[in-house]
Amino acid sequence: MSVGSSWRYLFVAIDQAALWVFVQFKANKIATSAKAFQNALHKVWLSTARRTNLLSASKPCA
């Protein structure tokens, strides 16, 4: 039984402190796929970090 017999690779980055997960499926596990995942992660993380900093800056530290 070979339904959708092509393999997909799951790339995952987990930030336990922020309770944040970034996930992507890739068609292969070569270096260019890993680098593309890393670049996408960096881009998303920067935009998330900016929002987090803006939100935390408006709240007093307790």
Side-chain angles (χ1 to χ4, degrees), residues 14-20:
I14 301 170
D15 182 352
Q16 292 179 329
L19 302 175
W20 187 82

Side-chain angles (χ1 to χ4, degrees), residues 14-60:
I14 301 170
D15 182 352
Q16 292 179 329
L19 302 175
W20 187 82
V21 177
F22 181 72
V23 178
Q24 279 189 338
F25 284 98
K26 297 290 186 180
N28 52 45
K29 59 178 183 176
I30 60 176
T32 53
S33 293
K35 186 63 177 171
F37 172 77
Q38 185 180 26
N39 289 339
L41 170 63
H42 188 252
K43 182 178 179 180
V44 169
W45 182 81
L46 284 177
S47 66
T48 303
R50 283 191 201 115
R51 277 197 310 266
T52 303
N53 288 341
L54 287 175
L55 290 174
S56 63
S58 64
K59 296 179 183 177

